[in-house]
Coordinates of all heavy atoms in Angstrom, one line a residue:
Chain R
L851 N 12.1 9.1 -6.5 CA 13.1 9.4 -7.6 C 12.3 10.3 -8.6 O 12.9 11.2 -9.2 CB 13.7 8.2 -8.2 CG 14.7 7.5 -7.3 CD1 15.2 6.2 -8.0 CD2 15.9 8.4 -7.0
A852 N 11.1 9.9 -9.0 CA 10.3 10.5 -9.9 C 10.1 12.0 -9.4 O 10.1 12.9 -10.2 CB 9.0 9.8 -10.1
E853 N 9.9 12.1 -8.1 CA 9.6 13.5 -7.6 C 10.9 14.3 -7.7 O 10.8 15.6 -8.0 CB 9.3 13.4 -6.1 CG 8.7 14.7 -5.5 CD 8.8 14.7 -4.0 OE1 9.4 13.9 -3.4 OE2 8.1 15.5 -3.6
A854 N 12.1 13.7 -7.8 CA 13.3 14.5 -7.9 C 13.7 14.7 -9.4 O 14.8 14.9 -9.7 CB 14.4 13.8 -7.1
N855 N 12.7 14.4 -10.3 CA 12.9 14.5 -11.7 C 13.8 13.5 -12.3 O 14.5 13.8 -13.2 CB 13.3 16.0 -12.1 CG 12.2 17.0 -11.9 OD1 11.1 16.7 -12.2 ND2 12.5 18.0 -11.4
V856 N 14.0 12.4 -11.6 CA 14.7 11.3 -12.3 C 13.9 10.6 -13.3 O 12.8 10.2 -13.0 CB 15.2 10.3 -11.3 CG1 15.9 9.1 -11.9 CG2 16.1 11.0 -10.3
P857 N 14.2 10.6 -14.6 CA 13.4 10.0 -15.7 C 13.2 8.5 -15.4 O 14.2 7.8 -14.9 CB 14.3 10.1 -16.9 CG 15.3 11.0 -16.6 CD 15.6 11.0 -15.1
Y858 N 12.0 8.0 -15.6 CA 11.8 6.6 -15.1 C 12.5 5.6 -16.1 O 12.6 4.4 -15.5 CB 10.3 6.3 -15.0 CG 9.5 6.4 -16.4 CD1 9.5 5.4 -17.3 CD2 8.8 7.6 -16.7 CE1 8.9 5.4 -18.5 CE2 8.1 7.7 -17.9 CZ 8.1 6.6 -18.7 OH 7.5 6.7 -19.9
D859 N 12.9 5.9 -17.2 CA 13.7 4.9 -18.0 C 15.1 4.8 -17.6 O 15.9 4.1 -18.2 CB 13.4 5.1 -19.4 CG 13.5 6.6 -19.9 OD1 13.8 7.5 -18.9 OD2 13.1 6.8 -21.1
E860 N 15.5 5.5 -16.5 CA 16.8 5.3 -16.0 C 16.9 4.4 -14.7 O 17.9 4.1 -14.2 CB 17.5 6.6 -15.7 CG 17.9 7.4 -16.9 CD 18.5 8.8 -16.5 OE1 18.7 9.1 -15.3 OE2 18.7 9.6 -17.5
V861 N 15.6 4.1 -14.3 CA 15.4 3.4 -13.1 C 15.1 1.9 -13.4 O 14.2 1.7 -14.2 CB 14.2 4.1 -12.2 CG1 14.1 3.4 -10.9 CG2 14.5 5.5 -12.0
F862 N 15.8 1.0 -12.8 CA 15.6 -0.4 -13.2 C 15.4 -1.3 -11.9 O 15.7 -1.0 -10.8 CB 16.9 -0.9 -13.8 CG 17.2 -0.2 -15.1 CD1 18.1 0.8 -15.1 CD2 16.5 -0.6 -16.3 CE1 18.3 1.5 -16.3 CE2 16.8 0.0 -17.5 CZ 17.7 1.1 -17.5
E863 N 14.6 -2.3 -12.1 CA 14.3 -3.3 -11.1 C 15.5 -4.2 -11.0 O 16.3 -4.3 -11.7 CB 13.0 -4.0 -11.4 CG 11.8 -3.2 -11.6 CD 11.4 -2.2 -10.4 OE1 11.6 -2.8 -9.3 OE2 11.2 -1.1 -10.7
L864 N 15.5 -4.9 -9.8 CA 16.6 -5.9 -9.5 C 16.9 -6.9 -10.6 O 18.1 -7.0 -11.0 CB 16.1 -6.7 -8.2 CG 17.2 -7.7 -7.7 CD1 17.6 -7.3 -6.3 CD2 16.5 -9.0 -7.6
E865 N 15.8 -7.6 -11.1 CA 16.1 -8.5 -12.2 C 16.7 -7.9 -13.4 O 17.5 -8.5 -14.1 CB 14.9 -9.3 -12.6 CG 14.1 -9.9 -11.4 CD 13.1 -9.1 -10.8 OE1 12.2 -8.6 -11.7 OE2 13.3 -8.8 -9.7
E866 N 16.2 -6.7 -13.8 CA 16.7 -6.0 -15.0 C 18.2 -5.6 -14.9 O 18.8 -5.6 -15.9 CB 15.9 -4.8 -15.2 CG 14.4 -5.0 -15.4 CD 13.6 -3.7 -15.4 OE1 13.8 -2.8 -14.6 OE2 12.8 -3.6 -16.4
I867 N 18.6 -5.3 -13.7 CA 19.9 -4.5 -13.6 C 21.0 -5.4 -12.9 O 22.2 -5.2 -13.1 CB 19.9 -3.2 -13.0 CG1 21.0 -2.4 -13.3 CG2 19.7 -3.4 -11.4 CD1 20.8 -0.9 -13.0
N868 N 20.6 -6.5 -12.2 CA 21.6 -7.2 -11.4 C 22.8 -7.6 -12.2 O 23.9 -7.8 -11.7 CB 20.9 -8.3 -10.7 CG 21.3 -8.3 -9.2 OD1 22.0 -7.4 -8.7 ND2 20.8 -9.4 -8.5
N869 N 22.7 -8.2 -13.5 CA 23.8 -8.6 -14.3 C 24.9 -7.4 -14.6 O 25.8 -7.7 -14.9 CB 23.4 -9.3 -15.4 CG 22.6 -10.6 -15.0 OD1 23.1 -11.3 -14.1 ND2 21.7 -11.0 -15.9
D870 N 24.2 -6.2 -14.6 CA 25.1 -5.1 -15.0 C 26.2 -4.7 -14.1 O 27.1 -4.0 -14.3 CB 24.2 -3.9 -15.3 CG 23.2 -4.2 -16.5 OD1 23.4 -5.3 -17.0 OD2 22.4 -3.3 -16.7
F871 N 26.0 -5.1 -12.8 CA 26.9 -4.6 -11.8 C 28.4 -5.1 -12.1 O 29.3 -4.4 -11.9 CB 26.5 -5.2 -10.4 CG 25.5 -4.3 -9.7 CD1 24.2 -4.8 -9.6 CD2 25.8 -3.1 -9.2 CE1 23.2 -4.1 -8.9 CE2 24.8 -2.4 -8.6 CZ 23.4 -2.8 -8.5
A872 N 28.5 -6.4 -12.6 CA 29.7 -6.8 -13.0 C 30.6 -6.0 -14.0 O 31.8 -6.0 -14.1 CB 29.6 -8.3 -13.5
N873 N 29.8 -5.3 -14.9 CA 30.4 -4.5 -15.9 C 30.5 -3.0 -15.5 O 31.1 -2.2 -16.3 CB 29.7 -4.6 -17.2 CG 29.5 -6.0 -17.6 OD1 30.5 -6.8 -17.6 ND2 28.3 -6.4 -18.1
A874 N 29.9 -2.7 -14.3 CA 29.9 -1.2 -14.0 C 31.2 -0.9 -13.2 O 31.9 -1.7 -12.6 CB 28.7 -0.9 -13.2
D875 N 31.6 0.3 -13.4 CA 32.8 0.9 -12.6 C 32.6 1.2 -11.2 O 33.3 0.8 -10.3 CB 33.4 2.0 -13.4 CG 33.8 1.7 -14.8 OD1 34.5 0.7 -14.9 OD2 33.4 2.4 -15.8
V876 N 31.5 1.9 -11.0 CA 31.2 2.4 -9.6 C 29.8 2.1 -9.2 O 28.9 2.3 -10.0 CB 31.4 3.9 -9.4 CG1 31.0 4.4 -8.1 CG2 32.9 4.2 -9.8
A877 N 29.5 1.6 -8.0 CA 28.3 1.5 -7.4 C 28.1 2.4 -6.3 O 29.1 2.5 -5.5 CB 28.0 0.1 -6.9
F878 N 27.1 3.3 -6.3 CA 27.0 4.3 -5.3 C 25.8 3.9 -4.5 O 24.7 4.1 -4.8 CB 26.8 5.6 -5.9 CG 26.8 6.8 -5.1 CD1 27.9 7.3 -4.5 CD2 25.6 7.5 -4.9 CE1 27.9 8.4 -3.7 CE2 25.6 8.6 -4.0 CZ 26.7 9.1 -3.5
V879 N 26.1 3.5 -3.3 CA 25.0 3.0 -2.4 C 24.7 4.1 -1.4 O 25.5 4.5 -0.6 CB 25.4 1.8 -1.5 CG1 24.3 1.2 -0.7 CG2 26.0 0.7 -2.5
I880 N 23.4 4.5 -1.4 CA 23.1 5.7 -0.6 C 21.7 5.3 0.1 O 20.6 5.2 -0.5 CB 22.9 7.0 -1.5 CG1 22.4 8.0 -0.7 CG2 22.2 6.7 -2.8 CD1 22.5 9.4 -1.3
G881 N 21.8 5.1 1.4 CA 20.7 4.9 2.2 C 20.1 3.5 2.1 O 19.2 3.1 2.8
A882 N 20.8 2.5 1.4 CA 20.4 1.2 1.4 C 21.4 0.3 2.3 O 22.6 0.9 2.4 CB 20.5 0.7 0.0
N883 N 21.0 -0.8 2.8 CA 22.0 -1.6 3.5 C 21.7 -3.1 3.3 O 22.4 -3.7 2.5 CB 21.9 -1.2 5.0 CG 23.1 -1.8 5.8 OD1 23.8 -2.6 5.3 ND2 23.2 -1.6 7.1
D884 N 20.8 -3.5 4.0 CA 20.5 -4.9 4.0 C 20.3 -5.5 2.4 O 20.7 -6.7 2.2 CB 19.2 -5.3 4.8 CG 19.4 -5.1 6.3 OD1 20.6 -5.2 6.7 OD2 18.4 -4.7 6.9
V885 N 19.7 -4.8 1.6 CA 19.4 -5.2 0.2 C 20.7 -5.4 -0.5 O 20.7 -5.9 -1.8 CB 18.5 -4.3 -0.4 CG1 17.1 -4.4 0.2 CG2 19.0 -3.0 -0.6
T886 N 21.9 -4.9 0.0 CA 23.2 -5.1 -0.8 C 24.1 -6.1 -0.1 O 25.1 -6.3 -0.5 CB 24.0 -3.8 -0.8 OG1 24.2 -3.4 0.6 CG2 23.1 -2.7 -1.3
N887 N 23.6 -6.7 1.1 CA 24.5 -7.6 1.8 C 24.7 -8.9 1.2 O 23.8 -9.7 1.0 CB 23.8 -7.8 3.2 CG 24.7 -8.3 4.2 OD1 25.8 -8.8 3.9 ND2 24.5 -8.2 5.5
P888 N 26.0 -9.2 0.8 CA 26.3 -10.5 0.2 C 26.1 -11.6 1.0 O 26.0 -12.8 0.6 CB 27.8 -10.3 -0.2 CG 28.3 -9.1 0.5 CD 27.2 -8.4 1.0
V889 N 25.9 -11.5 2.3 CA 25.7 -12.5 3.3 C 24.5 -13.4 2.9 O 24.5 -14.5 3.0 CB 25.7 -12.0 4.7 CG1 24.8 -12.8 5.6 CG2 27.0 -11.7 5.4
A890 N 23.5 -12.7 2.3 CA 22.3 -13.4 1.8 C 22.6 -14.5 0.9 O 21.8 -15.3 0.8 CB 21.3 -12.3 1.3
K891 N 23.7 -14.4 0.1 CA 24.1 -15.5 -0.8 C 24.9 -16.4 -0.2 O 25.1 -17.5 -0.8 CB 24.7 -14.7 -2.0 CG 23.7 -13.9 -2.9 CD 24.3 -13.2 -4.0 CE 25.2 -12.0 -3.5 NZ 25.7 -11.2 -4.6
T892 N 25.8 -16.0 0.7 CA 26.9 -17.0 1.2 C 26.7 -17.6 2.6 O 27.2 -18.7 2.8 CB 28.1 -16.1 1.2 OG1 27.9 -15.0 2.1 CG2 28.6 -15.6 -0.1
D893 N 25.9 -17.0 3.5 CA 25.9 -17.6 4.8 C 24.6 -18.2 5.1 O 23.6 -17.4 5.5 CB 26.2 -16.5 5.8 CG 26.2 -16.9 7.2 OD1 26.2 -18.2 7.4 OD2 26.3 -16.1 8.1
P894 N 24.4 -19.4 5.1 CA 23.1 -20.0 5.4 C 22.6 -19.8 6.9 O 21.4 -19.9 7.2 CB 23.2 -21.5 5.2 CG 24.5 -21.6 4.5 CD 25.3 -20.5 4.8
Q895 N 23.5 -19.3 7.7 CA 23.1 -19.0 9.1 C 22.4 -17.7 9.2 O 21.7 -17.4 10.2 CB 24.4 -19.1 10.0 CG 25.2 -20.3 10.0 CD 24.4 -21.4 10.5 OE1 23.5 -21.4 11.4 NE2 24.4 -22.6 9.7
S896 N 22.6 -16.8 8.2 CA 22.1 -15.5 8.4 C 20.6 -15.4 8.4 O 20.0 -16.2 7.5 CB 22.7 -14.6 7.3 OG 22.1 -13.4 7.2
P897 N 19.9 -14.5 9.1 CA 18.5 -14.4 9.0 C 18.0 -13.9 7.7 O 16.8 -14.1 7.4 CB 18.2 -13.4 10.1 CG 19.5 -12.8 10.5 CD 20.6 -13.7 10.2
I898 N 18.9 -13.3 6.8 CA 18.5 -12.9 5.6 C 18.9 -13.8 4.5 O 18.8 -13.4 3.3 CB 18.9 -11.4 5.3 CG1 20.4 -11.3 5.3 CG2 18.3 -10.4 6.2 CD1 20.8 -9.9 4.6
Y899 N 19.4 -15.0 4.8 CA 20.0 -15.9 3.8 C 18.8 -16.3 2.8 O 17.7 -16.6 3.2 CB 20.4 -17.2 4.4 CG 20.9 -18.1 3.4 CD1 22.2 -17.9 2.7 CD2 20.3 -19.3 3.1 CE1 22.7 -18.7 1.8 CE2 20.8 -20.2 2.1 CZ 22.0 -19.9 1.5 OH 22.4 -20.7 0.5
G900 N 19.1 -16.2 1.6 CA 18.2 -16.4 0.4 C 17.4 -15.4 -0.1 O 16.7 -15.4 -1.0
M901 N 17.5 -14.2 0.7 CA 16.8 -13.0 0.2 C 17.5 -12.6 -1.1 O 18.7 -12.6 -1.2 CB 16.9 -11.9 1.3 CG 16.4 -10.5 0.9 SD 16.4 -9.5 2.3 CE 17.2 -8.1 1.7
P902 N 16.7 -12.2 -2.1 CA 17.4 -11.6 -3.3 C 18.1 -10.3 -3.0 O 17.5 -9.5 -2.4 CB 16.3 -11.5 -4.3 CG 15.0 -11.4 -3.5 CD 15.3 -12.2 -2.3
V903 N 19.4 -10.2 -3.4 CA 20.1 -9.0 -3.0 C 20.7 -8.3 -4.4 O 20.9 -9.1 -5.4 CB 21.2 -9.1 -2.0 CG1 20.6 -9.3 -0.6 CG2 22.2 -10.2 -2.4
L904 N 21.1 -7.2 -4.3 CA 21.7 -6.5 -5.5 C 23.2 -6.9 -5.4 O 23.9 -6.8 -4.4 CB 21.6 -5.0 -5.4 CG 20.2 -4.5 -5.7 CD1 19.9 -3.1 -5.1 CD2 19.7 -4.5 -7.1

Side-chain angles (χ1 to χ4, degrees):
Chain R
L851 290 176
E853 192 195 16
N855 288 319
V856 173
Y858 62 81
D859 38 7
E860 286 175 10
V861 182
F862 298 94
E863 303 302 319
L864 180 118
E865 306 88 60
E866 298 172 314
I867 202 165
N868 228 3
N869 292 328
D870 298 352
F871 280 107
N873 304 318
D875 296 312
V876 176
F878 186 72
V879 183
I880 174 167
N883 187 357
D884 294 333
V885 297
T886 63
N887 197 341
V889 156
K891 288 175 288 192
T892 53
D893 180 12
Q895 302 301 319
S896 167
I898 60 166
Y899 181 72
M901 172 171 131
V903 287
L904 292 158

